Amino acid sequence: MTRPVLLLAVGNPSRGDDALGPRLAELAEAANLPGVEVIVDFQLQIEHVLDLVGRERVIFVDAGAGTEPPFVFRRVQPAPDFLHTSHALSPEAVLATYVRVRSEPPPESWLLCIRGERFELGEDLSADAAQSLAVAWQALRSSVARAEAT
């Protein structure tokens, strides 16, 4: 059975603060949030369109170098990106592909972008990113709890 909420976290755990998405996904899985399925990948791909089918809500989670601290949590809408490759899609491009493939509106979708500082290969999560992660985790839990109550 498909859970109504999908948490789709992207990032590379071997690249410093790029691990923010996977780290938040670990917290969500450990908390076993009701009605939430968690998927983790290195980057968004066209194939993720299929993961959105049957969902009421999707929350994309990623790290951002230029993001306002500690995070941005905003609604996203379908918007085509011009790409010469099928790699590294934006959440908006995934949603636009969903519309093209399914001929229907996508589920309600949000982006939780957590500010990162360092993205070098082999680095650990920075102290600032760890603090931002803790604040973003609390915001995500509150958001999921509010959505479940409605």
Side-chain angles (χ1 to χ4, degrees):
M1 178 178 180
T2 302
R3 293 186 182 178
V5 177
L6 173 63
L7 182 71
L8 184 50
V10 295
N12 184 339
S14 299
R15 296 192 65 89
D17 295 347
D18 201 36
L20 285 164
R23 289 276 189 93
L24 189 126
E26 289 173 5
L27 293 170
E29 285 187 324
N32 197 23
L33 298 173
V36 177
E37 181 177 347
V38 178
I39 296 176
V40 180
D41 210 333
F42 281 99
Q43 59 192 4
L44 293 173
Q45 307 270 347
I46 290 174
E47 292 80 5
H48 288 119
V49 165
L50 300 176
D51 297 318
L52 278 57
V53 175
R55 309 292 179 170
E56 294 173 16
R57 188 173 185 213
V58 177
I59 303 169
F60 296 94
V61 181
D62 200 0
T67 301
E68 285 289 319
F71 65 86
V72 172
F73 196 28
R74 66 175 173 85
R75 185 91 186 254
V76 289
Q77 301 290 336
D81 285 347
F82 176 75
L83 298 172
H84 63 281
T85 176
S86 63
H87 297 283
L89 296 175
S90 68
E92 293 85 355
V94 172
L95 297 175
T97 303
Y98 180 97
V99 171
R100 281 194 303 274
V101 170
R102 304 279 303 168
S103 298
E104 64 186 30
E108 175 185 312
S109 300
W110 296 82
L111 172 62
L112 175 58
C113 189
I114 308 167
R115 182 178 176 107
E117 303 289 333
R118 297 188 335 230
F119 295 86
E120 292 81 22
L121 185 61
E123 291 287 327
D124 290 329
L125 200 65
S126 70
D128 287 343
Q131 289 177 343
S132 294
L133 174 62
V135 176
W137 169 236
Q138 292 306 317
L140 177 67
R141 287 182 63 181
S142 295
S143 172
V144 169
R146 278 193 308 275
E148 187 181 353
T150 59

